[in-house]
Amino acid sequence: MSWEKKRLVIVGGGSGIARRIAVDAAAAGAEVVFAGRNPAEFTESGIRTEFADLGDESSLKALAEKVGELDYLITLAAAPANGPVTTLERDAVTRAFDAKVIGPMMLAKHFAPRFREGGAIVLFSGVAAWRPLPERAVMATTNGAVAFLAEALAVDLAPVRVNAVSPGIVDSGAWDRLGAAKDEFFRRTAETNPARRIGTTADVSAATRSLLSNPFVTGTTLHVDGGARLS
């Protein structure tokens, strides 16, 4: 499928995944709009930037009005609220749900009437929903909710298609915070993955673009995790 003259809106995502999707889509001929709370940090040439905060519905409405008609929408934001349940702060939990569930639902609300024929949405879940770990209850729950939201919106917004991508451990820049321990973490993770490697931003970009362009896939969560949820 040609991406020429397709308008793609990407909301949120501070790591390399959003950037890779944006660059790949633009290289294929799409008009890409990146929206986030700090749009000035997104400096890729030829990509339009706008402000949007998934915790502020008015900003999402304003974004939809600025963008106008579109073909595809992706939302990748996350606001992790990690820690033991006994120490969780309600505001942090709310922000996590705003980023992953409530915000994307409000995006759908304001963008739904603007999709051209063949329009599609991709939400971002994560392997934590299928492999919950201690102190990751909020992450597991929000990511699991995304998978169900994709199914619900696929029915509610039809014929606009709605799917979700669930990445595993991906070398996106998000793990650079581990410093020297990053390589060892990646090595151990790759050893237990059935795919026997770590994911790349290119893997996730290709999977995301395939969901957007396939006209007969909707209400589905695509696991791009090297089989991590099975290991």
Side-chain angles (χ1 to χ4, degrees), residues 122-126 163-167 204 207-208 211 220-224:
V122 169
L123 312 175
F124 263 70
S125 178
N163 293 291
V165 169
S166 177
V204 182
T208 303
L211 284 179
T220 295
T221 295
L222 178 58
H223 297 275
V224 190

Side-chain angles (χ1 to χ4, degrees), residues 59-73:
S59 76
L60 306 182
K61 179 181 179 182
L63 175 65
E65 291 171 348
K66 287 181 180 179
V67 168
E69 289 188 342
L70 76 159
D71 299 283
Y72 304 131
L73 172 66

Side-chain angles (χ1 to χ4, degrees), residues 4-196:
E4 292 291 335
K5 298 183 180 179
K6 299 293 185 182
R7 181 173 293 161
L8 166 64
V9 178
I10 301 174
V11 179
S15 69
I17 292 176
R19 295 175 186 274
R20 182 59 187 259
I21 295 171
V23 169
D24 287 349
E31 175 192 349
V32 181
V33 180
F34 177 84
R37 288 186 298 176
N38 299 296
E41 295 179 0
F42 198 90
T43 57
E44 275 67 15
S45 177
I47 295 175
R48 173 182 163 190
T49 59
E50 297 286 354
F51 174 80
D53 181 348
L54 287 166
D56 175 9
E57 184 182 356
S58 64
S59 76
L60 306 182
K61 179 181 179 182
L63 175 65
E65 291 171 348
K66 287 181 180 179
V67 168
E69 289 188 342
L70 76 159
D71 299 283
Y72 304 131
L73 172 66
I74 304 171
T75 174
L76 303 96
N82 297 330
V85 170
T86 53
T87 67
L88 291 176
E89 297 290 338
R90 180 180 178 84
D91 286 349
V93 175
T94 300
R95 285 193 297 272
F97 274 89
D98 275 339
K100 281 280 190 178
V101 184
I102 302 171
M105 198 178 296
M106 295 300 100
L107 275 175
K109 169 185 174 180
H110 293 291
F111 276 95
R114 303 176 184 275
F115 279 97
R116 297 167 180 157
E117 183 178 355
I121 299 172
V122 169
L123 312 175
F124 263 70
S125 178
V127 70
W130 288 267
R131 290 291 304 276
L133 296 171
E135 303 186 7
R136 299 293 186 271
V138 178
M139 182 180 289
T141 304
T142 53
N143 281 313
V146 170
F148 287 106
L149 179 59
E151 294 181 359
L153 290 180
V155 175
D156 209 355
L157 301 182
V160 174
R161 294 177 297 102
V162 185
N163 293 291
V165 169
S166 177
I169 303 301
V170 176
D171 190 5
S172 63
W175 299 101
D176 292 353
R177 67 181 185 276
L178 296 178
K182 172 185 165 180
D183 289 345
E184 176 61 16
F185 170 65
F186 278 4
R187 185 191 66 78
R188 287 187 283 105
T189 301
E191 284 182 351
T192 60
N193 261 357
R196 297 294 189 267

Side-chain angles (χ1 to χ4, degrees), residues 201-227:
T201 56
D203 296 327
V204 182
S205 175
T208 303
R209 287 180 287 117
S210 72
L211 284 179
L212 290 173
S213 60
N214 192 316
F216 203 53
V217 179
T218 192
T220 295
T221 295
L222 178 58
H223 297 275
V224 190
D225 60 8

